[in-house]
């Protein structure tokens, strides 16, 4: 943070720009801590539990996560927007959003348990899902997280998340020392949600005020839900085609295979972080360029896409080449069947880069209302291909499908949506000639005249 302050003062940045840079710093710091700690804890827990029990744990987490996505109701972005606008009392927004999410959470907790009883013959799996589904209720306190994001003070959010991460690591290491069974690990992961909620509440009480000042308005709730429905559909479609593969593997193959697939996913999450953080960092540059010159915007947008996609490709190739040693030296000999899966799935980062960069452009251009068509296609492709191929080719099929569904949603769909067709042409140029811009970072960051 000292370096950021020094940089800001030296370049005489305005308070607004300083706030944006600090916000970005905390967002990146929080994500890095989350990814690295998740990988570290994942390695330790996976080696302790073994492929089958580790696979079962990831099945439970992925299964509940699908219902948690529905329970949010697409309210996150609407809440941030409403608070930023400042036309409605923040107490009213927070109280209404929280009340709505609590009602929704209780409903989807029940649905997660009931559907598990129907789909899973194993009562033990349903018991684990019932325990972990409590995180759906705890997730309702994310309204506080959204509030701090809206007022550009996510430092307090990230500090809460880092504290939760540290305590969570200590708790899981303690379970290892006591040779705890899988149930206690599920309890520990559910406890992460409770700790994070407590951190959010504490940050709000220290910096803002008491939660009892919040008010619930049924009429305002209907307004929020009406506006959040399109975002709910889009968010659900995205999460389903990104997470449904793990649930389908657990049901159609076996939990041991899911353990191997989950190990590959851990490394892929880190690779995907590259295009995601580049998108967050560079989008403001695109917005500024578009305001000054349409031609300069088009040039920078193409360069942005070229650099991100081809850097992701280089990272994917390197990961694929060292996959054997990555898995063996971290998760251990027992997880070596994950190596060929990782060699394939590492290239998912390229597909994500292609999709994410186009997504940054459509947001810059105000075209996000058509995104539901992209994500719905990805969802349909993922479910259909996994259903057809998983029984015959197992997790290798799931690895290929994860790439194909991302390409379908983030690239092919753009060719069929008139408003997005120019994005499709940009993406195609990237695939053929984008390598030329890998070393053009200085040119990209140059301020337009």
């Amino acid at each position: 943070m000292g370096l950021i302050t020094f940089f800001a003062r030296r370049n005489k940045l305005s308070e607004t720009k300083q706030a944006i840079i600090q916000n970005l710093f905390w967002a990146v710091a929080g994500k890095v801590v989350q990814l690295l700690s998740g990988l570290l804890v994942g390695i330790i827990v996976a080696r302790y539990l073994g492929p089958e029990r580790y696979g079962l744990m990831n099945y439970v987490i992925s299964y509940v996560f699908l219902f948690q996505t529905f329970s949010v109701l697409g309210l996150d972005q609407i809440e941030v927007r409403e608070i930023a606008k400042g036309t409605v009392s923040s107490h009213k927004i927070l109280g209404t959003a929280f009340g709505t999410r609590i009602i929704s959470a209780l409903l989807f907790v029940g649905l997660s348990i009931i559907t598990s009883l129907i789909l899973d013959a194993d009562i033990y799996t349903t018991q684990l899902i019932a325990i972990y589904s409590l995180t759906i209720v705890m997730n309702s306190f994310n309204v506080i997280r959204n509030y701090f994001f809206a007022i550009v003070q996510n430092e307090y959010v990230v500090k809460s998340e880092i504290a939760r991460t540290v305590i969570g690591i200590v708790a899981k290491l303690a379970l290892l020392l006591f040779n705890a069974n899988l149930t206690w690990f599920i309890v520990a992961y559910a406890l992460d949600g409770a700790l994070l909620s407590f951190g959010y509440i504490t940050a709000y009480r220290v910096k803002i005020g008491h939660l009892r000042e919040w008010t619930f308005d049924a009429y305002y709730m209907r307004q929020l839900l009406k506006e959040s429905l399109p975002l709910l559909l889009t968010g659900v479609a995205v999460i389903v085609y990104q997470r449904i593969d793990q649930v389908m593997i657990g049901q159609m193959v076996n939990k041991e295979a899911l353990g191997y697939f989950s190990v590959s996913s851990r490394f892929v999450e880190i690779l995907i972080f590259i295009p995601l953080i580049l998108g967050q960092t560079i989008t403001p540059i695109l917005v500024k360029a578009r305001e000054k010159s349409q031609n300069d915007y088009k040039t920078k947008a193409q360069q942005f896409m070229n650099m991100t996609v081809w850097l992701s490709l280089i990272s994917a190739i390197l990961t694929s080449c060292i996959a054997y040693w990555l898995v063996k030296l971290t998760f251990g000999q027992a997880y070596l069947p994950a190596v060929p899966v990782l060699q394939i799935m590492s290239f998912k980062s390229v597909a994500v880069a292609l999709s994410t960069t186009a997504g940054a452009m459509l947001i810059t251009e105000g075209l996000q209302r058509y995104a539901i068509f992209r994500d719905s296609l990805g969802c349909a492709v993922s479910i259909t291909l996994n259903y057809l191929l998983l029984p015959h080719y197992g997790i290798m099929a799931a690895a290929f499908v994860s790439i194909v569904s991302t390409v379908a949603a983030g690239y092919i769909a753009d060719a069929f949506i008139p408003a997005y067709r120019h994005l499709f042409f940009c993406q195609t140029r990237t695939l053929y000639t984008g390598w030329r811009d890998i070393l053009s970072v200085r040119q990209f960051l140059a301020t337009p005249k």
Side-chain angles (χ1 to χ4, degrees):
M1 286 302 296
L3 287 174
I4 292 176
T5 303
F6 173 77
F7 173 82
R9 289 175 179 173
R10 184 173 183 179
N11 290 273
K12 298 179 180 180
L13 298 181
S14 65
E15 291 185 4
T16 301
K17 289 183 178 180
Q18 289 185 44
I20 292 173
I21 292 174
Q22 290 177 1
N23 233 32
L24 179 61
F25 167 81
W26 284 108
V28 173
K31 191 64 176 178
V32 169
V33 170
Q34 179 186 346
L35 284 172
L36 293 181
S37 62
L39 179 61
L40 175 63
V41 173
I43 290 170
I44 297 171
V45 173
R47 293 176 76 108
Y48 172 77
L49 293 176
E52 185 174 357
R53 289 191 297 165
Y54 183 64
L56 176 56
M57 185 185 76
N58 279 278
Y59 171 78
V60 169
I61 291 173
S62 296
Y63 189 88
V64 171
F65 189 76
L66 293 177
F67 289 88
Q68 181 174 301
T69 303
F70 280 97
S71 71
V72 174
L73 301 174
L75 286 172
D76 283 344
Q77 290 173 281
I78 299 299
E79 180 194 343
V80 171
R81 186 198 68 188
E82 290 296 298
I83 292 172
K85 283 167 59 177
T87 55
V88 178
S89 164
S90 62
H91 294 154
K92 181 177 177 179
I93 297 171
L94 288 168
T96 304
F98 180 74
T100 305
R101 288 180 61 157
I102 282 289
I103 296 170
S104 173
L106 294 174
L107 172 64
F108 281 101
V109 165
L111 285 175
S112 68
I113 297 171
I114 293 171
T115 53
S116 178
L117 286 170
I118 296 173
L119 297 174
D120 291 299
D122 182 8
I123 190 65
Y124 179 58
T125 301
T126 300
Q127 290 173 347
L128 296 180
I129 287 173
I131 294 171
Y132 191 70
S133 65
L134 295 177
T135 58
I136 299 177
V137 178
M138 294 295 102
N139 192 55
S140 301
F141 287 95
N142 271 16
V143 297
I144 299 176
R145 178 180 185 270
N146 297 334
Y147 175 79
F148 280 114
F149 278 164
I151 62 174
V152 199
Q153 292 184 17
N154 62 353
E155 171 186 351
Y156 309 111
V157 170
V158 175
K159 286 181 177 178
S160 299
E161 292 172 349
I162 292 175
R164 180 279 310 265
T165 299
V166 173
I167 296 173
I169 290 174
V170 172
K172 295 173 186 70
L173 291 177
L175 292 177
L176 293 175
L177 293 176
F178 287 101
N179 294 317
N181 60 28
L182 177 58
T183 302
W184 284 106
F185 280 94
I186 294 295
V187 171
Y189 276 99
L191 180 63
D192 284 346
L195 288 172
L196 190 57
S197 298
F198 177 75
Y200 289 161
I201 293 170
T202 302
Y204 186 87
R205 290 194 61 183
V206 171
K207 296 295 178 181
I208 309 299
H210 293 282
L211 272 63
R212 61 172 176 265
E213 297 174 339
W214 295 356
T215 58
F216 179 83
D217 187 311
Y219 176 75
Y220 188 58
M221 178 187 72
R222 290 193 291 271
Q223 286 183 296
L224 293 178
L225 290 176
K226 183 179 178 180
E227 295 190 45
S228 69
L229 180 59
L231 295 175
L232 168 63
L233 297 176
T234 300
V236 167
V238 171
I239 296 301
V240 166
Y241 85 75
Q242 290 181 351
R243 286 284 191 138
I244 196 66
D245 49 5
Q246 297 194 34
V247 175
M248 295 180 76
I249 291 170
Q251 291 185 345
M252 300 177 69
V253 186
N254 56 58
K255 303 301 188 294
E256 182 178 351
L258 178 55
Y260 301 136
F261 189 85
S262 299
V263 164
S264 301
S265 298
R266 285 290 184 184
F267 291 109
V268 174
E269 286 175 1
I270 296 177
L271 288 176
I272 288 175
F273 174 67
I274 297 172
L276 290 180
I277 198 61
L278 281 175
Q280 291 179 3
T281 305
I282 293 175
T283 296
I285 297 176
L286 295 180
V287 173
K288 184 177 181 180
R290 191 166 186 261
E291 290 175 351
K292 293 189 174 182
S293 167
Q294 189 68 22
N295 289 332
D296 189 70
Y297 162 71
K298 290 180 180 179
T299 300
K300 287 191 180 295
Q302 187 70 64
Q303 290 175 335
F304 164 48
M305 185 176 291
N306 294 347
M307 288 186 293
T308 306
V309 170
W310 281 86
L311 286 173
S312 295
L313 178 60
I314 293 172
S315 301
I317 292 173
L318 290 175
T319 303
S320 184
C321 290
I322 64 172
Y324 175 83
W325 298 107
L326 275 177
V327 174
K328 185 176 181 179
L329 295 176
T330 53
F331 287 87
Q333 188 85 17
Y335 288 91
L336 286 181
V339 170
V341 181
L342 176 57
Q343 289 174 323
I344 295 169
M345 282 190 67
S346 59
F347 290 92
K348 180 180 178 181
S349 64
V350 183
V352 170
L354 200 63
S355 174
T356 301
T357 50
M361 290 173 64
L362 67 89
I363 290 174
T364 301
E365 298 170 21
L367 299 173
Q368 61 266 34
R369 60 185 176 278
Y370 304 110
I372 181 62
F373 299 108
R374 298 171 103 220
D375 301 322
S376 296
L377 177 61
C379 184
V381 169
S382 179
I383 293 175
T384 302
L385 291 183
N386 274 311
Y387 180 78
L388 294 174
L389 300 178
L390 270 178
H392 305 289
Y393 304 103
I395 55 177
M396 294 296 288
F400 277 109
V401 171
S402 69
I403 298 173
V404 172
S405 59
T406 305
V407 170
Y411 176 49
I412 296 175
D414 293 341
F416 297 97
I417 303 172
Y420 291 176
R421 200 156 292 149
H422 66 292
L423 301 178
F424 175 78
F425 292 131
C426 285
Q427 292 168 307
T428 304
R429 283 193 293 271
T430 291
L431 295 177
Y432 283 100
T433 62
W435 56 271
R436 298 172 181 171
D437 279 329
I438 293 178
L439 301 178
S440 302
V441 177
R442 181 174 294 182
Q443 180 184 352
F444 177 82
L445 294 175
T447 303
K449 296 179 181 180

